[in-house]
Amino acid sequence: MAQQITHIIENPPEPAIPAVYGDKSFLLGLYERMVLIREFEERVKFLFLEGAMPGTIHQCQGQEATAVGVCAALKPDDYITSTFRGHGHALAKGLSAQELLDELFGAVTGCCKGKGGSMHVGNFEKGMVPGIAIVAGGIPLAAGMALAFKMQKTAQVVACFFGDGAVAEGAFHEGVNMAAIWNLPVIFVCENNLYGASTRIDKVMKNPSVSDRAASYGFPGETVDGNDVIAVCEAAQRATDACRNGRGPVLLELLTYRRTGHSRRDPCHYQQKDEREAWFARDPIDRFARRLLERGKVSHDDIDVIKARVDHHLTVAVENAKRAPQPAPADIETDVFA
Amino acid sequence: MAQQITHIIENPPEPAIPAVYGDKSFLLGLYERMVLIREFEERVKFLFLEGAMPGTIHQCQGQEATAVGVCAALKPDDYITSTFRGHGHALAKGLSAQELLDELFGAVTGCCKGKGGSMHVGNFEKGMVPGIAIVAGGIPLAAGMALAFKMQKTAQVVACFFGDGAVAEGAFHEGVNMAAIWNLPVIFVCENNLYGASTRIDKVMKNPSVSDRAASYGFPGETVDGNDVIAVCEAAQRATDACRNGRGPVLLELLTYRRTGHSRRDPCHYQQKDEREAWFARDPIDRFARRLLERGKVSHDDIDVIKARVDHHLTVAVENAKRAPQPAPADIETDVFA
Amino acid sequence: MKRQGIAEALRDGIAEEMARDHRVFCIGEDIGVPGGWGGAFTVTLGLSAKFPGRIIDTPIAELGFTGIAVGAAMMGMRPIADMQYGDFLFLASDQLINNAAKMRYMSGGKTSVPMVMRAPIGATGRGSQHAQSMERYFTGVPGLKVIAPSNAYDAKGMLKAAVRDDNPVIIFEHKLLYGSKGARAESGAVDATSDIPDGDYTVPLDKAAVRREGSQVTILAWLLMLHYGLSAAGTLAQQGIDAEVIDVRSLSPIDYDTIGASIRKTGRAVIVEEGPKTGGVSAELAAGIMERFGESLLAPVVRVASPDVPVPFSPILENAYRPDASRIIEAVRSLVQ
Amino acid sequence: MKRQGIAEALRDGIAEEMARDHRVFCIGEDIGVPGGWGGAFTVTLGLSAKFPGRIIDTPIAELGFTGIAVGAAMMGMRPIADMQYGDFLFLASDQLINNAAKMRYMSGGKTSVPMVMRAPIGATGRGSQHAQSMERYFTGVPGLKVIAPSNAYDAKGMLKAAVRDDNPVIIFEHKLLYGSKGARAESGAVDATSDIPDGDYTVPLDKAAVRREGSQVTILAWLLMLHYGLSAAGTLAQQGIDAEVIDVRSLSPIDYDTIGASIRKTGRAVIVEEGPKTGGVSAELAAGIMERFGESLLAPVVRVASPDVPVPFSPILENAYRPDASRIIEAVRSLVQ
Ligand SMILES: Cc1ncc(C[n+]2csc(CCOP(=O)(O)OP(=O)(O)O)c2C)c(N)n1
Ligand SMILES: Cc1ncc(C[n+]2csc(CCOP(=O)(O)OP(=O)(O)O)c2C)c(N)n1
Ligand SMILES: [Mg+2]
Ligand SMILES: [Mg+2]
């Protein structure tokens, strides 16, 4: 198992960028989105450790390509569902750093008015359901959303993000099965980062292929290099096409790695050093930067400009968030019933 | 789907009886057990329709070979778990018709003192957990029992009966996965009678093979003619051997058919006529009788003696059950806590 | 105007809502199979022919189909989910409580989950796992509404109101009230038929109903127990005790206005509940009444409920489990005298 | 004798029981992974090295591993299951309520299910789905015992008693009580350390404890709220109000003897509960007290609880959610005066 996955990811040649993705601004857009996620998470980590930020956090450094690649294949009125580890998904789907940071600070200007918090960020207007922090709990939900789209005869699709750990849950099994039998327009996006909390997936799956599971339910699955944003985007594009043509669902297993602790203050001692190093060497942002530069698409300046823009953007956002208006105690009673 | 299963069962040649099963008394024992189950169920049906029997019933006419074949491969200290449809499993595992009938009449002499009823028949001393009437609810339970056997280093195994309908439940998914990763000595026995209540399995499984599911969890599965008691017994024997040698679990998909309604008064209008007829022609008891007679193992007299013995046995048991002592209202408070 | 039982009235109510609003659909196990039964208690019988594609038969997967209902509701549909037996709600309660009930709050009011969950409850000769009274597990869950109609008029009217409500609503139905006649009637079934008006009507989700006026004691009950309470009140009247009977009907929220008006008049309350006494809905009712109307109480509130045991199978035990008119009468008499 | 917090005391208690009885094992998510945390709150840290093969890490499958614990318990093992957060119990409640709690009854007393389920609860900055108070969903479930220790001495002693009990027992632990020091301490954590004797001891599963004697009012609480109740009582004493404080501790069954003795003395009760007011354990306590000791009550029982809303994330709102000493003081003062 360990071997297999290492094998898949070892020294992949960085391929040329497919012609359809040749547009520089599109490529830089993907890159900037990934950088935004990384830098966002780094700031949050700092704020958290500093004690400025309440609650708990689950971060996604190292997994930027999955969020950005999938969301790049979606339209604004398509939806995503997410998990406790949802900051990256949110930024990829178009939520602003500001509404996220405000939410993390518990402010009324947050995307959930401060009632959700880090594990439940979302914004319906931007096509993101609040993160479902019950592992796999978003899977039946996404199937239901897709059922609605099908019954309403819209062309919308839903991309449902979950981790490798979620595959063991009954909710996964029940949700994907119904999506399969009813051909629902849902893309099941498994971010396989090899760990569910501290538990490596070879401890909890005897057959280690997540994408293989799809066949047992009678629908297509595919394993993709989840640290290659272009590969992710291509696979997601095929999947959305299939869904829009009534050939859903699709299961995408995106192989990736979490560079950070499972949640706040987790020192990740259960990740082996060589494994960490191998994956760190395959960082999705570094790789994409190299590829863009090597394949002559962009200049170092382009990269620097993005970094500076993101930095500035986040600095402002953090300052704003720190001063964002907090709810009044009486707000506790609102928003319970429609 | 319909095709596939029909194909598997169409006109199978009744093969010779394998040498290891050559013992006439063993074969007649299997036969008698099946007849006992059939006749038991017919009496219960009559008593129920007559209004003599309280509650509801789920019967297993047509599925006798699965219960008897599997239990013939078990030792007395092996266990089974069962469902709402457990009369056949109980008789096959060695519970007496008397303790079952008494239970169905709500008597204190019943196997559960009248507290269980038809859906929960069982007897720990005889290796049968009370039926779990929550579909698939017995699957994690059986895995846990097998875990106990493994930790206790006994040679016991558990055979876990469930229907095709249970495969869609999260409990199936979670239970078999843990049995697989821990190599537990449990035989998952799926009695695939093509229907979960009124719902045909092609409506709820896009990939129609139940035994295929095992591979997705990384353990072996096999589809067997569930109306051939010898084939069932052989497969179960292989499975128990594997389990006792630490090579469990095993998933057995036993193709069979329910000759009766799902529960009391169900006229089965959702079963197609031709399907019913095809399966009725493959009745497990008739087939086994023919095979025994044709292959020269037994005489018509042997068959008649069995029928008469079973009849008599059940007549006495029913009479006893009707007069069996009923609980006192105060008994309601006992047996809640140990 | 026609006389209908609860099963028929619910069926018509669902059909009317589906005709009225194309967003309404039904989802559950065995609810629309041709040649099948229209759910375990015939409530959706015939609807799949009438509304093709809108009566969705699911695999046996309660957590999954409940989650699917939640997701579809968020996206603007109006699902009516069918739990074959209330006991299976435990399998679905994560989706109901962690998702459906909290989604609006967690999102800061940005979405709603307009779904209905129908679930039959009650001890009916089926043993421990098809028998529980499940109301207690959902009453008081913030974000969820819970109703429990005792007659066909209410069942139809409240179901319709639930479908039109923008929040998740659980409607508990009692197996002994679906219908007391016909091949599928349960033994022990009680007549809960009503005269059903021809036109559209709804019954509010948050109002209790006074079923019998009286001055000396208030009997509070719902579902099957309401019928037993009325029958007890009849007997008590002959014995010179004048009981008011309230159909609580709306379990979450509880209509303390109606209840309070009665308590202020009678000064005494007996709550009747099928299900173990400890931790039941009666506990909330008793505590809530004491809190709000304590000064009007002439005596402590009394609870008549099942003993704290699982539901037994044997008819003798099952009858000892479920409160009946004589236990209610006994409780009222000892309270009033 | 040593001073320990709840996490350490539980850890020692589990280790001692595992050493004493080879049938005891632990099962749950992330409880024994080398380099991991020993469960979400370090309770099983280090035990997998000490007891190889007996700390079983599971996939993320709460229904499944709970069912596995039930099955193993029936076959003579003594599993201690670990639910990372109490909120996930909804996923497992079918196995807990339909199987574990009913199995003995359904079998006519022929088996027992000696398992322990540990579950942390409480609002702690994690938003709606990792915050609920789950006691209400299990209190009163026939066949199940429910305990909720508020200090390290009780946590260890009750855990040990639970392991030795032949019935399924749920032990609720509060996240803010595991330990108030160290890197993993929660913000807002309270000191719940105790002096722990060196030898073996158990604490009964069915006894409340008087934590502070007083004459004018009885404050009933458990887990975190017990600490707030004690702090309120301290302030009240300065204000001339003499409150008795009872640690209810055993939620199912409830020790009405201890509670009754206090109520007979004080005539007044304030119940404090984290979690929505409607339908909480306080409802049962209030109703049960009125039923049993109604004649001793000088005033209606008062409940201090959270509002009927999901748990909000924002610290300001979370603090408004959870009852605190000042709300308890207010309630006591208006009751006594
Ligand atoms: C139902 C449920 N069980 C357990 C948890 C606790 N938990 C939170 S995250 C997590 C691991 C999830 O792993 P995975 O699905 O692989 O996602 P990742 O953390 O790798 O993104 C666990 C066990 C939970 N939130 N929900
Ligand atoms: C969790 C759960 N959901 C639904 C039911 C209602 N129910 C009882 S039997 C049954 C069909 C079961 O089908 P299958 O597993 O194929 O077993 P069979 O009846 O064919 O023996 C259903 C839906 C139940 N008992 N438990
Ligand atoms: Mg993971
Ligand atoms: Mg079947």
Side-chain angles (χ1 to χ4, degrees):
Chain A
M1 170 63 229
Q3 283 77 350
Q4 187 191 326
I5 284 174
T6 312
H7 175 72
I8 292 173
I9 59 105
E10 221 147 33
N11 305 322
E14 297 295 350
I17 290 162
V20 287
Y21 297 119
D23 179 49
K24 180 174 164 184
S25 75
F26 173 78
L27 293 169
L28 282 177
L30 292 182
Y31 181 75
E32 179 157 356
R33 199 51 48 126
M34 291 204 288
V35 172
L36 175 67
I37 295 173
R38 174 71 53 90
E39 294 305 317
F40 180 93
E41 291 291 57
E42 291 299 321
R43 303 256 175 164
V44 166
K45 185 172 200 163
F46 179 79
L47 289 164
F48 189 84
L49 292 176
E50 196 190 34
M53 191 164 270
T56 190
I57 41 166
H58 300 79
Q59 304 201 291
C60 69
Q61 292 94 325
Q63 305 184 182
E64 294 83 357
T66 53
V68 170
V70 168
C71 291
L74 300 178
K75 302 197 170 151
D77 67 345
D78 290 331
Y79 269 85
I80 64 169
T81 66
S82 176
T83 67
F84 47 89
R85 198 181 304 288
H87 304 172
H89 305 144
L91 290 167
K93 191 63 176 69
L95 275 75
S96 70
Q98 192 66 63
E99 64 186 318
L100 290 177
L101 281 166
D102 288 4
E103 185 63 29
L104 301 192
F105 274 103
V108 288
T109 44
C111 53
C112 304
K113 292 198 208 156
K115 283 178 172 151
S118 167
M119 294 211 256
H120 304 300
V121 295
N123 183 336
F124 279 87
E125 279 152 34
K126 295 179 179 166
M128 181 182 183
V129 176
I132 303 298
I134 305 295
V135 167
I139 295 176
L141 222 60
M145 295 164 68
L147 176 64
F149 299 155
K150 188 174 175 182
M151 293 182 87
Q152 291 160 352
K153 300 196 170 61
T154 74
Q156 287 160 286
V157 307
V158 51
C160 170
F161 287 99
F162 56 90
D164 47 286
V167 173
E169 284 278 6
F172 167 86
H173 178 70
E174 299 186 10
V176 301
N177 184 47
M178 282 184 264
I181 59 179
W182 300 329
N183 299 318
L184 300 181
V186 51
I187 305 158
F188 294 111
V189 183
C190 179
E191 298 180 297
N192 183 352
N193 61 8
L194 306 192
Y195 291 87
S198 71
T199 303
R200 206 170 189 285
I201 76 162
D202 43 3
K203 263 191 99 158
V204 295
M205 288 175 69
K206 202 167 174 181
N207 169 352
S209 164
V210 172
S211 64
D212 269 12
R213 296 288 178 108
S216 78
Y217 300 102
F219 73 100
E222 188 182 349
T223 301
V224 177
D225 179 348
N227 279 9
D228 175 346
V229 68
I230 295 290
V232 171
C233 187
E234 285 185 285
Q237 193 63 62
R238 284 191 299 275
T240 54
D241 288 349
C243 284
R244 291 195 219 280
N245 290 317
R247 288 180 287 107
V250 174
L251 172 60
L252 297 183
E253 176 187 19
L254 308 181
L255 295 177
T256 184
Y257 202 74
R258 156 160 69 68
R259 290 176 74 100
T260 175
H262 166 68
S263 62
R264 55 172 191 166
R265 295 186 204 142
D266 168 19
C268 265
H269 288 153
Y270 48 84
Q271 291 182 347
Q272 297 303 311
K273 193 159 168 287
D274 52 349
E275 182 185 274
R276 282 178 73 83
E277 282 168 2
W279 280 93
F280 277 40
R282 298 180 40 65
D283 184 86
I285 297 179
D286 295 348
R287 270 175 69 191
F288 194 46
R290 251 185 287 132
R291 191 166 167 194
L292 287 175
L293 291 166
E294 282 168 19
R295 298 282 172 168
K297 291 282 177 192
V298 305
S299 69
H300 281 280
D301 272 1
D302 291 327
I303 300 283
D304 292 344
V305 165
I306 284 175
K307 175 81 171 74
R309 187 161 55 212
V310 165
D311 269 349
H312 176 72
H313 182 66
L314 288 173
T315 303
V316 172
V318 167
E319 283 319 303
N320 288 341
K322 283 182 169 171
R323 291 189 315 261
Q326 291 287 313
D331 292 343
I332 197 172
E333 304 269 7
T334 58
D335 300 322
V336 181
F337 286 105
Chain B
M1 168 66 225
Q3 284 77 351
Q4 188 192 328
I5 283 175
T6 312
H7 174 72
I8 291 174
I9 58 104
E10 220 147 32
N11 305 323
E14 296 298 347
I17 289 159
V20 287
Y21 296 119
D23 180 51
K24 179 174 165 183
S25 73
F26 173 77
L27 292 170
L28 283 177
L30 292 182
Y31 181 74
E32 179 157 356
R33 200 47 52 124
M34 291 204 289
V35 172
L36 175 67
I37 295 173
R38 173 71 53 92
E39 294 305 317
F40 179 93
E41 292 291 56
E42 290 298 322
R43 302 255 175 166
V44 166
K45 185 171 201 165
F46 179 78
L47 288 163
F48 188 84
L49 292 176
E50 198 189 34
M53 191 165 270
T56 190
I57 41 167
H58 300 78
Q59 304 203 291
C60 68
Q61 290 96 324
Q63 304 184 183
E64 294 83 357
T66 53
V68 171
V70 168
C71 291
L74 300 178
K75 301 195 172 153
D77 66 346
D78 290 333
Y79 269 86
I80 64 169
T81 65
S82 176
T83 66
F84 48 88
R85 198 182 304 289
H87 304 172
H89 305 145
L91 290 167
K93 191 63 175 70
L95 275 75
S96 70
Q98 191 68 62
E99 65 186 317
L100 291 177
L101 281 166
D102 288 4
E103 186 63 29
L104 300 193
F105 274 103
V108 286
T109 45
C111 54
C112 303
K113 291 198 209 156
K115 281 178 173 152
S118 168
M119 293 211 257
H120 304 301
V121 294
N123 183 337
F124 278 88
E125 281 153 32
K126 294 178 179 165
M128 180 182 185
V129 176
I132 303 299
I134 305 294
V135 167
I139 295 175
L141 222 60
M145 295 164 68
L147 176 65
F149 298 155
K150 187 174 176 182
M151 294 183 86
Q152 292 159 352
K153 300 196 170 62
T154 73
Q156 287 160 286
V157 307
V158 51
C160 170
F161 286 99
F162 56 90
D164 46 288
V167 174
E169 284 278 7
F172 167 87
H173 179 71
E174 299 186 10
V176 301
N177 185 46
M178 282 186 262
I181 58 178
W182 300 330
N183 299 318
L184 300 180
V186 52
I187 306 158
F188 295 112
V189 183
C190 179
E191 298 181 298
N192 183 351
N193 62 8
L194 307 193
Y195 291 86
S198 71
T199 304
R200 204 166 190 286
I201 76 163
D202 43 1
K203 261 191 98 156
V204 294
M205 288 174 70
K206 202 167 175 182
N207 169 353
S209 164
V210 172
S211 64
D212 269 10
R213 297 287 178 110
S216 77
Y217 300 101
F219 73 101
E222 188 181 348
T223 301
V224 177
D225 179 349
N227 278 9
D228 175 345
V229 68
I230 295 290
V232 172
C233 187
E234 284 184 286
Q237 193 63 62
R238 284 192 300 272
T240 55
D241 289 349
C243 284
R244 291 193 219 282
N245 291 318
R247 289 181 285 106
V250 174
L251 172 60
L252 297 183
E253 176 187 17
L254 309 181
L255 295 176
T256 183
Y257 202 75
R258 160 160 66 68
R259 292 176 72 99
T260 175
H262 166 67
S263 62
R264 56 172 189 164
R265 296 185 207 145
D266 168 18
C268 267
H269 288 152
Y270 47 84
Q271 292 182 345
Q272 296 303 311
K273 192 158 167 288
D274 53 347
E275 181 185 273
R276 282 178 75 83
E277 282 167 4
W279 280 94
F280 276 40
R282 299 181 38 66
D283 184 86
I285 297 179
D286 294 348
R287 270 175 69 191
F288 194 46
R290 253 185 285 131
R291 189 165 167 195
L292 288 175
L293 291 167
E294 282 167 18
R295 297 285 173 169
K297 292 281 176 189
V298 304
S299 67
H300 280 280
D301 272 1
D302 292 325
I303 299 283
D304 292 345
V305 166
I306 284 174
K307 175 82 171 73
R309 187 161 58 214
V310 165
D311 270 349
H312 176 71
H313 181 66
L314 288 173
T315 302
V316 173
V318 168
E319 283 319 304
N320 288 341
K322 283 183 169 170
R323 290 188 315 262
Q326 291 287 315
D331 292 344
I332 197 172
E333 302 269 7
T334 59
D335 301 321
V336 181
F337 286 105
Chain C
M1 186 79 94
K2 51 188 170 295
R3 195 80 195 165
Q4 286 189 319
I6 287 187
E8 293 166 275
L10 284 171
R11 191 182 308 133
D12 282 3
I14 293 171
E16 288 170 23
E17 291 305 297
M18 290 183 74
R20 184 187 60 77
D21 183 345
H22 65 275
R23 300 170 303 172
V24 179
F25 71 98
C26 295
I27 185 164
E29 298 158 13
D30 302 293
I31 60 173
V33 178
W37 326 299
F41 299 96
T42 73
V43 170
T44 51
L45 193 64
L47 297 187
S48 56
K50 230 183 228 155
F51 301 101
R54 291 169 66 192
I55 305 289
I56 300 184
D57 287 302
T58 70
I60 310 176
E62 290 76 12
L63 181 64
F65 80 66
T66 303
I68 283 176
V70 178
M74 286 191 320
M75 293 296 108
M77 302 298 287
R78 300 254 156 184
I80 304 174
D82 178 303
M83 192 61 62
Q84 278 196 351
Y85 286 82
D87 311 64
F88 313 156
L89 282 169
F90 289 127
L91 289 164
S93 43
D94 170 63
Q95 285 291 347
L96 286 168
I97 300 179
N98 279 328
N99 285 353
K102 294 176 185 168
M103 188 60 76
R104 182 173 179 79
Y105 199 71
M106 295 197 311
S107 72
K110 302 254 183 70
T111 190
S112 58
V113 183
M115 67 175 280
V116 176
M117 172 62 79
R118 297 181 35 247
I121 60 112
T124 55
R126 290 171 171 88
S128 291
Q129 293 181 333
H130 285 66
Q132 275 162 111
S133 291
M134 299 291 296
E135 305 94 295
R136 65 176 56 205
Y137 297 104
F138 297 95
T139 291
V141 171
L144 210 56
K145 297 187 179 180
V146 180
I147 54 176
S150 68
N151 64 49
Y153 182 90
D154 282 3
K156 181 173 181 181
M158 295 181 97
L159 181 278
K160 282 168 152 264
V163 170
R164 299 178 197 184
D165 197 279
D166 284 333
N167 301 288
V169 181
I170 303 189
I171 170 166
F172 287 109
E173 303 163 7
H174 199 291
K175 282 166 246 163
L176 295 185
L177 298 181
Y178 279 121
S180 58
K181 302 220 177 74
R184 291 187 71 89
E186 303 282 327
S187 111
V190 161
D191 182 2
T193 55
S194 308
D195 289 330
I196 306 289
D198 294 325
D200 183 46
Y201 71 95
T202 60
V203 172
L205 301 181
D206 58 355
K207 289 273 169 294
V210 178
R211 296 296 180 200
R212 182 187 202 285
E213 301 208 357
S215 58
Q216 290 176 278
V217 57
T218 304
I219 298 175
L220 295 148
W222 58 97
L223 292 175
L224 180 65
M225 292 301 118
L226 186 268
H227 294 265
Y228 291 2
L230 280 170
S231 129
T235 307
L236 286 163
Q238 291 163 12
Q239 301 174 357
I241 297 176
D242 186 25
E244 178 142 316
V245 181
I246 291 184
D247 187 348
V248 180
R249 197 164 68 167
S250 165
L251 302 182
S252 214
I254 292 167
D255 174 12
Y256 279 112
D257 290 343
T258 302
I259 293 170
S262 181
I263 303 289
R264 282 200 202 89
K265 178 169 65 172
T266 65
R268 295 181 185 87
V270 172
I271 308 164
V272 193
E273 177 170 13
E274 180 175 334
K277 182 182 221 169
T278 303
V281 177
S282 312
E284 174 55 38
L285 281 165
I289 287 171
M290 170 167 48
E291 242 163 37
R292 289 168 176 81
F293 320 112
E295 74 297 342
S296 307
L297 283 178
L298 304 171
V301 178
V302 170
R303 293 181 286 173
V304 177
S306 306
D308 286 329
V309 304
V311 182
F313 163 68
S314 189
I316 289 175
L317 299 179
E318 194 181 88
N319 287 334
Y321 176 85
R322 204 192 289 109
D324 58 12
S326 73
R327 285 179 55 201
I328 302 170
I329 291 167
E330 205 180 296
V332 169
R333 291 180 63 92
S334 64
L335 180 63
V336 172
Q337 276 151 9
Chain D
M1 188 80 92
K2 53 189 168 299
R3 194 81 195 164
Q4 287 188 319
I6 287 187
E8 294 166 273
L10 283 171
R11 192 182 307 133
D12 282 4
I14 292 171
E16 288 169 25
E17 291 305 297
M18 290 183 74
R20 184 188 59 78
D21 184 345
H22 65 275
R23 300 170 304 174
V24 179
F25 72 98
C26 295
I27 185 163
E29 296 157 13
D30 302 293
I31 61 174
V33 177
W37 326 300
F41 299 95
T42 74
V43 171
T44 52
L45 193 63
L47 297 186
S48 56
K50 229 184 228 155
F51 301 102
R54 291 169 67 192
I55 306 289
I56 300 183
D57 286 303
T58 70
I60 311 176
E62 290 74 15
L63 181 64
F65 80 67
T66 302
I68 283 177
V70 178
M74 286 192 319
M75 293 296 108
M77 301 299 286
R78 299 255 157 184
I80 304 175
D82 179 303
M83 192 62 59
Q84 278 194 353
Y85 287 82
D87 311 64
F88 314 155
L89 283 168
F90 290 128
L91 289 164
S93 44
D94 171 63
Q95 285 291 345
L96 286 168
I97 300 179
N98 279 329
N99 285 352
K102 293 176 185 168
M103 188 60 77
R104 182 172 179 80
Y105 199 72
M106 294 196 312
S107 71
K110 302 255 182 70
T111 191
S112 57
V113 183
M115 68 174 280
V116 176
M117 172 62 79
R118 296 181 35 247
I121 59 113
T124 55
R126 291 172 170 86
S128 292
Q129 293 181 333
H130 287 65
Q132 275 162 111
S133 290
M134 298 292 294
E135 306 95 295
R136 65 176 55 205
Y137 297 104
F138 297 96
T139 291
V141 172
L144 210 56
K145 297 186 178 181
V146 180
I147 55 177
S150 67
N151 63 50
Y153 182 90
D154 282 3
K156 181 173 181 181
M158 294 181 98
L159 182 277
K160 282 168 152 263
V163 171
R164 299 177 197 185
D165 196 279
D166 285 333
N167 301 288
V169 181
I170 302 187
I171 170 166
F172 287 109
E173 302 163 7
H174 199 291
K175 281 166 249 164
L176 295 185
L177 298 181
Y178 280 120
S180 58
K181 301 217 179 74
R184 291 186 69 90
E186 303 282 327
S187 112
V190 161
D191 182 3
T193 55
S194 308
D195 290 329
I196 306 289
D198 294 325
D200 182 45
Y201 72 95
T202 60
V203 172
L205 302 181
D206 57 356
K207 290 272 169 291
V210 178
R211 297 293 181 203
R212 183 188 202 285
E213 300 207 358
S215 59
Q216 290 175 277
V217 58
T218 304
I219 298 175
L220 295 148
W222 58 97
L223 292 174
L224 180 64
M225 292 302 118
L226 186 268
H227 295 265
Y228 290 1
L230 280 169
S231 128
T235 307
L236 285 163
Q238 291 162 11
Q239 301 174 358
I241 296 177
D242 187 25
E244 177 142 315
V245 180
I246 291 185
D247 187 348
V248 180
R249 195 164 70 167
S250 166
L251 302 183
S252 213
I254 292 167
D255 174 12
Y256 279 112
D257 289 344
T258 303
I259 293 171
S262 180
I263 302 290
R264 282 199 203 89
K265 178 169 66 172
T266 65
R268 294 182 185 84
V270 171
I271 308 165
V272 193
E273 178 170 13
E274 179 176 335
K277 183 182 220 169
T278 303
V281 177
S282 312
E284 174 55 38
L285 280 164
I289 288 170
M290 169 168 47
E291 241 163 36
R292 290 168 175 83
F293 320 113
E295 74 295 342
S296 306
L297 284 177
L298 304 171
V301 178
V302 169
R303 294 180 286 172
V304 176
S306 306
D308 286 330
V309 305
V311 181
F313 163 69
S314 189
I316 289 176
L317 299 179
E318 193 182 87
N319 287 334
Y321 177 84
R322 204 193 289 111
D324 58 13
S326 73
R327 284 179 56 201
I328 302 170
I329 292 167
E330 204 179 298
V332 169
R333 290 180 63 92
S334 65
L335 181 63
V336 171
Q337 277 151 11

